[in-house]
Amino acid sequence: METSFITTGDGVRIAYRFDGPSELPVLLLSNSIGTDLHMWDAEVPALSEHFRVLRYDGRGHGDSGVPTGAYSVDRLGRDVLELLDALGLRRVHLLGLSLGGFVGQWLGIHAPERVDRLVLANTAAHVGPPEYFDGAIAELLAAPDMDATAETFLRNWFPAQMLETDNPAVEAFRRTLRATKREGVAGSWAAVRDADLRRTISLIGSPTLVIAGEHDTVTSAEHGKEIAAGIPGARLRVLPAVHLSNVEQHEAFLDAVVTFLKEPA
């Protein structure tokens, strides 16, 4: 299916696409900062055997609109609710990685009736300090382009051995990062800076799997353990990965996600 669009209540165009048979349960995928819906390209063939996969470009990324200024996790979550409403989807499974995991937590807290099973990968309930994000945002907006920021992202996402070779997966993410509008990254960093879900995640009632990266320096395994401890009944799976565990540990990631989502209720 080709990319389609909705327009949110505040006038931002959100791009989305479906993959997989229409009669299957819907699995919504939510992305990290600096990526678009293609970050899941390698996973979609396997996932779409079991689910109708719904991907979207978060505001500020890909083919979606790029408003200037700070975003919030609340607004990013409401983008998803408006997308589901527009598509007539009452309830979905949700898999969010990094920023997408913040969005997944927000939805589990504020719209529990819309979330069936929840997978939170390489994410946190809170990342600080705010001064770090303020400095990064100022530096990015003053930079001539996205090149330096792209290389920083890649070092935070992948192990050194993947960066030292001409890895086609890494090159695809590098191209996406360089094409991403800096206002989208800056706005999304502000959303993470201002988010603190550590107390409210206890309200999440959806069956939840937390996937963490053993070597993740962005959202550490400790962040994952904190989420799993805070959500009643949540399970934790730690993979030997850095930040984009879906890429680095492709098969193990897919196995964990599909096994959890397909479990009998």
Side-chain angles (χ1 to χ4, degrees):
M1 181 175 176
E2 295 301 315
T3 301
S4 302
F5 299 89
I6 67 157
T7 300
T8 63
D10 65 338
V12 175
R13 192 170 79 152
I14 300 293
Y16 71 92
R17 64 170 289 166
F18 279 108
D19 293 276
S22 59
E23 68 272 12
L24 294 177
V26 175
L27 169 61
L28 174 72
L29 306 181
S30 188
N31 312 337
S32 69
I33 297 175
T35 70
D36 58 20
L37 56 78
H38 294 291
M39 74 164 279
W40 304 104
D41 279 355
E43 287 71 54
V44 165
L47 291 175
S48 59
E49 293 179 11
H50 307 279
F51 308 101
R52 188 180 193 204
V53 179
L54 172 58
R55 294 182 277 172
Y56 73 101
D57 289 336
R59 65 171 56 207
H61 293 78
D63 291 325
S64 289
V66 188
T68 58
Y71 306 165
S72 68
V73 170
D74 180 271
R75 181 61 256 182
L76 298 176
R78 292 183 188 282
D79 288 346
V80 173
L81 292 179
E82 291 193 45
L83 175 62
L84 297 181
D85 287 347
L87 298 174
L89 297 172
R90 186 182 67 82
R91 191 171 172 89
V92 298
H93 297 309
L94 196 152
L95 162 57
L97 188 147
S98 196
L99 177 61
F102 275 92
V103 174
Q105 290 170 80
W106 186 93
L107 289 161
I109 295 163
H110 295 281
E113 72 283 358
R114 310 304 290 272
V115 181
D116 192 347
R117 290 182 177 240
L118 180 61
V119 182
L120 304 170
N122 300 84
T123 192
H126 174 72
V127 181
E131 295 77 18
Y132 165 78
F133 290 101
D134 291 339
I137 289 167
E139 185 176 334
L140 172 60
L141 294 178
D145 52 41
M146 276 287 292
D147 289 359
T149 297
E151 296 310 310
T152 299
F153 267 94
L154 294 173
R155 287 192 297 272
N156 287 333
W157 284 353
F158 298 112
Q161 63 266 28
M162 286 184 71
L163 298 175
E164 290 163 1
T165 60
D166 292 327
N167 188 297
V170 172
E171 287 307 311
F173 280 97
R174 178 178 280 117
R175 287 192 298 272
T176 300
L177 280 161
R178 288 177 171 173
T180 300
K181 300 287 197 310
R182 71 185 76 190
E183 293 84 2
V185 173
S188 300
W189 270 342
V192 174
R193 176 196 66 198
D194 298 338
D196 189 348
L197 307 175
R198 287 175 289 186
R199 293 184 66 183
T200 49
I201 55 172
S202 64
L203 299 173
I204 294 175
S206 301
T208 301
L209 171 66
V210 180
I211 298 175
E214 181 183 355
H215 311 296
D216 195 338
T217 59
V218 181
T219 52
S220 68
E222 290 303 314
H223 285 120
K225 291 174 184 176
E226 182 179 52
I227 295 173
I231 298 174
R235 301 180 211 172
L236 175 69
R237 177 80 181 271
V238 180
L239 297 178
V242 185
H243 193 55
L244 293 191
S245 58
N246 64 308
V247 179
E248 188 182 347
Q249 292 292 324
H250 173 76
E251 295 296 338
F253 183 92
L254 277 173
D255 179 68
V257 169
V258 172
T259 298
F260 171 71
L261 294 179
K262 294 282 286 183
E263 280 181 1

